[in-house]
Amino acid sequence: MSSVAQKSGFGATLWDWLTTVDHKKIGILYLLGGLFFFVLGGIEAMIIRLQLITPNNDLVSAGLFNDLITMHGTTMIFLAAMPILFGFMNAIMPLQIGARDVAFPFINSLGFWMFAFGGLFLNISWLFGEVPDAGWTSYASLSLHSPGHGVDFYAIGLQIAGGGTLMAGINFLVTIINMRAPGMTYMRMPLFTWTTFVASAMILFAFPPLTVGLFFLTFDRMFSGNFFDHTMGGNTIIWEHIFWIFGHPEVYILILPAFGIFSEVFSVFARKRLFGYTAMVFATVLIGFLGFMVWAHHMFTVGLGPTANAIFAVATMAIAVPTGVKIFNWLLTIWGGSIKVTTPMLYALGFIPSFVMGGVTGVMQGAAPLDYQLHDSYFIVAHFHYVIVGGVVLAIFAGLHYWWPKMFGTMLHEGLGKITFVFFFIGFHLTFLIQHWLGFWGMPRRVWTYMDGQGWNMSNMISTVGALLMAVGFTVMVINIIMTTVKNERVGNDPWGDGRTLEWAIPSPPPFYNFPATPLIRGLDTLWIEKTEGSKEMITPAEPITDIHMPNGSIIPMLMTLGLFIAGFGAMFHQETSWGLPVLVFGLAFTFVMMAARSLKDDLGYYVTKEQILQDIENSKRGRN
């Protein structure tokens, strides 16, 4: 516990979390927010699978089914997977590079609140009974003609949340470039930091097109713009290009940090240095580059022509090369290692065959003729989920178990963790493997129900049973989290015993200033070097302990986003109500006032004195923290 005095009580604690700019607390907020939306998206998925469990089922109406598939996809991609990964990036990446904070703590807080209010705005659509129903891609040919305000909730909600994502990406980039500890060269950065770096660079280039597209869509629907309306000179295909220029890199924005998590897990629990570190770094950069070059394979069926099809087919298949390099390097890291089969390692071991299957079916889709046949079938549903669930979600679960002790100071129960893995892993393959065959047998995706006698009944039944097993696995994990939190058994700096990177050298959870003194990095796997040399402190300081400057918390990021949230409702209802326009103006004005308040008031921060830091170290040694 820090020796810096803090108020106690529920009100003070709530205020502390609402105003925090500490990257570790913001990481936890991202994690909690992402898990909340993960549960929402999971419930939507379960209803979808229950609807499809038998032919001619009428559990939900066709319209509600459209709502569910739209919200499931949108929620899981934008509001669950990305924020949870952002949680790890926020909480862990600055520790791995020896930084005291992220480059822009205020912007970091603003990014989180924009994600939270954007997600809230989108899901409030359920309360209004006007839910987005044009699919998570929201193609303009459907979204322009969607009645009610469902698609408006989609466009404005994602606009707010997307702005937060862009801010976070820029923040991570600047942090990694400018705030690495002395000796932390680029080629000494842990793989998770490298993947955060490349994914953030991709966010920098991928999210502006989405922002522009959503801006156009908003104006088409609410302010009589004609960007996509072909009857007024617009073009719906423009939306498809804009969306996939964002949408395809988005897959790699999700999967690259997942690769980073598995790289850390393989290395620690095989108790070996990551095989082919340099090749892994270059493969990460190459995947990031190629991820932008292949968006048009989503457009094969539009009729791009043979030349464009051939170029994008080759580029799509080329991604298999650096990805294959990664797979072989992970296998060679395990080979000959002293493997410890912990819960995170189980997820990592399960990830390799699962993700390879998703990757192979992706390469198949790179062939335009095959894509013509399969693109609108359940084969694509299976492929996509093998990549996202078999890659990203397994990585999220691995990272959750792996870094939980560092983030919260307690250890998730290993037995329950392994039970979660068994249920989830078996359920995942039961759910999605059979869907490849459903696609081959002609079952189209996005169908509300299907006729009896087509040979799809048993396969859909198996798929739904698998989804139920996944839900059981996730429930066990929630029980594990609750039990661990209630027990509150504290752990030391390196509870796994084989930590190799810098975050495992400091207390769990870390003090709010991270490091008493800036560490000196002496090589790749810097903690492992200290361990092998018998260092007691586990950190070689680059400078003596001195007073540390820290930023003040601020409520302005939350209020600034609240203004945008209010303005969103005004924009949506300005044509049909008398209060819409005033609310729009008020919301925007409120945001500008908050921005002015931030601009006019200097945040001079505060200092943690050397004496306070020394006291913290002494307390830590006595086991009081």
Side-chain angles (χ1 to χ4, degrees):
M1 180 183 295
S2 166
S3 57
V4 175
Q6 288 185 339
K7 292 180 181 178
S8 58
F10 177 77
T13 304
L14 180 63
W15 180 256
D16 180 46
W17 282 92
L18 292 178
T19 60
T20 187
V21 294
D22 182 343
H23 70 93
K24 299 175 292 297
K25 287 185 175 176
I26 291 175
I28 291 172
L29 288 173
Y30 265 116
L31 199 63
L32 294 175
L35 286 173
F36 170 75
F37 286 116
F38 188 87
V39 171
L40 274 187
I43 291 170
E44 288 155 1
M46 285 309 306
I47 298 173
I48 292 169
R49 280 312 322 164
L50 289 173
Q51 165 62 24
L52 295 173
I53 191 170
T54 57
N56 299 313
N57 198 0
D58 58 357
L59 177 69
V60 298
S61 66
L64 180 55
F65 190 84
N66 277 346
D67 298 343
L68 287 167
I69 60 170
T70 301
M71 290 299 286
H72 167 68
T74 309
T75 300
M76 284 302 199
I77 294 291
F78 291 98
L79 306 178
M82 279 192 66
I84 293 174
L85 292 171
F86 274 20
F88 294 139
M89 292 176 185
N90 254 301
I92 303 300
M93 179 274 289
L95 303 179
Q96 288 193 330
I97 62 173
R100 189 147 281 135
D101 206 335
V102 292
F104 308 115
F106 181 90
I107 297 290
N108 201 23
S109 172
L110 181 60
F112 165 75
W113 286 112
M114 289 184 74
F115 143 68
F117 276 100
L120 195 60
F121 191 91
L122 182 64
N123 278 278
I124 279 179
S125 61
W126 286 110
L127 301 180
F128 279 75
E130 298 186 42
V131 185
D133 59 356
W136 81 281
T137 56
S138 207
Y139 280 174
S141 50
L142 297 174
S143 59
L144 288 184
H145 303 290
S146 175
H149 287 294
V151 174
D152 302 333
F153 277 110
Y154 170 96
I156 296 174
L158 289 191
Q159 193 74 289
I160 296 172
T165 304
L166 185 57
M167 289 179 189
I170 293 171
N171 209 350
F172 293 144
L173 270 181
V174 178
T175 302
I176 294 171
I177 291 171
N178 287 324
M179 298 183 71
R180 285 168 289 128
M184 177 64 82
T185 62
Y186 281 105
M187 295 311 287
R188 288 178 177 175
M189 292 197 311
L191 245 294
F192 180 68
T193 298
W194 255 113
T195 54
T196 299
F197 183 66
V198 176
S200 300
M202 296 182 76
I203 287 171
L204 183 63
F205 292 104
F207 269 74
L210 177 68
T211 303
V212 171
L214 290 171
F215 181 84
F216 287 170
L217 184 61
T218 304
F219 267 68
D220 269 14
R221 285 186 55 92
M222 296 180 218
F223 300 98
S224 303
N226 293 305
F227 296 101
F228 303 123
D229 186 352
H230 71 280
T231 63
M232 300 299 288
N235 190 335
T236 59
I237 300 299
I238 292 173
W239 166 265
E240 295 185 31
H241 279 290
I242 288 175
F243 185 86
W244 287 115
I245 286 171
F246 148 79
H248 197 78
E250 170 69 6
V251 175
Y252 295 92
I253 290 168
L254 295 177
I255 200 65
L256 283 178
F259 287 171
I261 293 170
F262 287 127
S263 297
E264 304 289 332
V265 169
F266 278 126
S267 179
V268 167
F269 296 112
R271 295 181 234 191
K272 276 178 66 185
R273 177 177 167 166
L274 188 68
F275 186 90
Y277 169 83
T278 306
M280 294 289 262
V281 169
F282 282 102
T284 301
V285 175
L286 189 56
I287 290 172
F289 175 75
L290 289 175
F292 272 101
M293 299 294 109
V294 299
W295 90 90
H297 69 216
H298 293 270
M299 314 284 288
F300 280 157
T301 52
V302 169
L304 299 175
T307 305
N309 281 356
I311 291 170
F312 285 106
V314 171
T316 301
M317 295 177 190
I319 292 187
V321 176
T323 308
V325 168
K326 280 181 170 287
I327 297 287
F328 281 111
N329 280 340
W330 287 320
L331 292 175
L332 291 169
T333 303
I334 303 169
W335 195 359
S338 176
I339 299 172
K340 197 190 282 184
V341 186
T342 60
T343 303
M345 190 62 167
L346 272 178
Y347 282 107
L349 294 171
F351 150 78
I352 289 183
S354 307
F355 186 77
V356 166
M357 290 172 67
V360 167
T361 51
V363 172
M364 289 167 65
Q365 295 305 308
L370 188 61
D371 184 71
Y372 267 70
Q373 296 298 318
L374 295 175
H375 84 282
D376 211 14
S377 75
Y378 250 81
F379 187 90
I380 298 300
V381 179
H383 155 67
F384 185 73
H385 283 85
Y386 259 82
V387 171
I388 297 299
V389 182
V392 179
V393 176
L394 292 186
I396 284 172
F397 287 1
L400 202 63
H401 287 83
Y402 178 57
W403 278 314
W404 186 273
K406 184 52 58 183
M407 294 174 73
F408 297 96
T410 57
M411 195 92 169
L412 289 174
H413 190 273
E414 272 290 278
L416 289 176
K418 288 173 181 172
I419 291 172
T420 298
F421 169 78
V422 170
F423 273 102
F424 195 86
F425 191 72
I426 293 174
F428 159 65
H429 283 283
L430 269 183
T431 305
F432 297 111
L433 184 63
I434 197 74
Q435 291 182 3
H436 292 97
W437 280 271
L438 278 171
F440 283 135
W441 296 333
M443 180 167 168
R445 57 176 169 163
R446 306 189 185 104
V447 289
W448 162 59
T449 188
Y450 51 91
M451 302 291 286
D452 196 6
Q454 300 183 84
W456 302 342
N457 299 10
M458 180 56 71
S459 302
N460 273 297
M461 174 75 79
I462 291 170
S463 189
T464 302
V465 169
L468 287 169
L469 290 180
M470 291 168 74
V472 171
F474 184 77
T475 305
V476 173
M477 192 171 76
V478 172
I479 293 169
N480 194 354
I481 289 172
I482 294 170
M483 279 179 52
T484 302
T485 306
V486 171
K487 278 186 174 177
N488 196 28
E489 293 176 357
R490 313 308 292 179
V491 296
N493 296 4
D494 183 14
W496 297 111
D498 296 299
R500 307 176 72 88
T501 43
L502 206 49
E503 74 268 28
W504 301 109
I506 54 178
S508 308
F512 61 95
Y513 46 78
N514 293 355
F515 300 94
T518 302
L520 177 68
I521 310 303
R522 298 194 292 143
L524 182 64
D525 290 348
T526 182
L527 177 60
W528 195 255
I529 293 171
E530 301 289 345
K531 284 179 179 176
T532 53
E533 293 184 358
S535 168
K536 290 183 179 176
E537 299 299 327
M538 297 297 176
I539 291 180
T540 301
E543 58 187 21
I545 294 175
T546 58
D547 295 350
I548 296 174
H549 181 261
M550 298 296 292
N552 285 315
S554 174
I555 194 69
I556 291 178
M558 196 190 86
L559 295 179
M560 206 183 281
T561 315
L562 180 63
L564 294 176
F565 181 80
I566 294 169
F569 282 101
M572 204 158 55
F573 292 106
H574 80 282
Q575 286 182 327
E576 59 203 69
T577 65
S578 57
W579 53 263
L581 191 58
V583 167
L584 170 62
V585 173
F586 170 79
L588 291 177
F590 186 74
T591 298
F592 286 128
V593 168
M594 289 299 110
M595 291 168 71
R598 170 64 182 176
S599 302
L600 297 173
K601 183 179 181 304
D602 290 330
D603 176 19
L604 302 176
Y606 65 98
Y607 279 92
V608 186
T609 64
K610 177 181 174 181
E611 290 71 27
Q612 290 170 334
I613 298 164
L614 291 174
Q615 184 64 50
D616 278 355
I617 295 172
E618 190 62 28
N619 290 344
S620 179
K621 285 179 179 175
R622 291 175 184 172
R624 292 178 187 172
N625 55 339

